[in-house]
Amino acid sequence: MRKLLFPIMILIYLASCVSYKGDQPFQPIAERVDINRFLGDWFVIALLPTPMEKSIANGVENYSLRENGEIRVTYTFRKGNTSGKEKVMYQRGWIVDTHTNAEWRVRPLWPLKLPYYILEVGNDYAYTVIGTNNYDYLWIMSREPDLEPLLLEGIIRRMEERGYTMDDLVYMEQNWEGRDDQ
């Protein structure tokens, strides 16, 4: 038990650091998100990946509203390529800024509660861009498994203007041909 005490204390300390809410989000967020229109499936088109996401395909993030107001985040993907083993990751989310609904916290595992910002959402809710409290991670997602190339180029340009380095941007393989699970 003593061997676990120090790592647990470090995790608690790190969680308290990253879950601190200052007066302003890390960067500009969407002006207003209609949470009911935002819920549902989002296909991951391109991303600055976390270590867990470096070699995955067919990533789909699903948001659903729980009775207690929390957001249930379900991330389904395939390991390696589109025919790899399907994996599912669950997270809990909380809307922090109820004026915009664009600033959340998500908990991938206890005790972490990480900043999660909706940076952009299309007027028609056909695409969204999600960022964190640094420029290390970014997700460009669409309601469909692909995104019109000019729209994607524009999003990437705007994210570069915000300060993201897109050299490590990964285009996620999305292949749903012949699958009933789309």
Side-chain angles (χ1 to χ4, degrees), residues 41-57:
D41 287 343
W42 291 95
F43 293 86
V44 180
I45 303 301
L47 66 159
L48 293 174
T50 65
M52 183 220 53
E53 296 172 301
K54 294 240 186 229
S55 181
I56 66 174

Side-chain angles (χ1 to χ4, degrees), residues 45-46 127 140 142 145-158 169 171:
I45 303 301
Y127 81 90
I140 300 171
S142 172
D146 55 16
L147 195 56
E148 198 264 294
L150 287 177
L151 177 58
L152 182 57
E153 286 175 27
I155 294 168
I156 291 168
R157 186 186 72 257
R158 289 190 300 277
L169 188 72
Y171 295 90

Side-chain angles (χ1 to χ4, degrees), residues 89-103:
M89 185 176 94
Y90 299 99
Q91 300 180 74
R92 291 170 58 191
W94 296 266
I95 297 172
V96 175
D97 180 347
T98 55
H99 177 72
T100 66
N101 291 331
E103 182 180 354

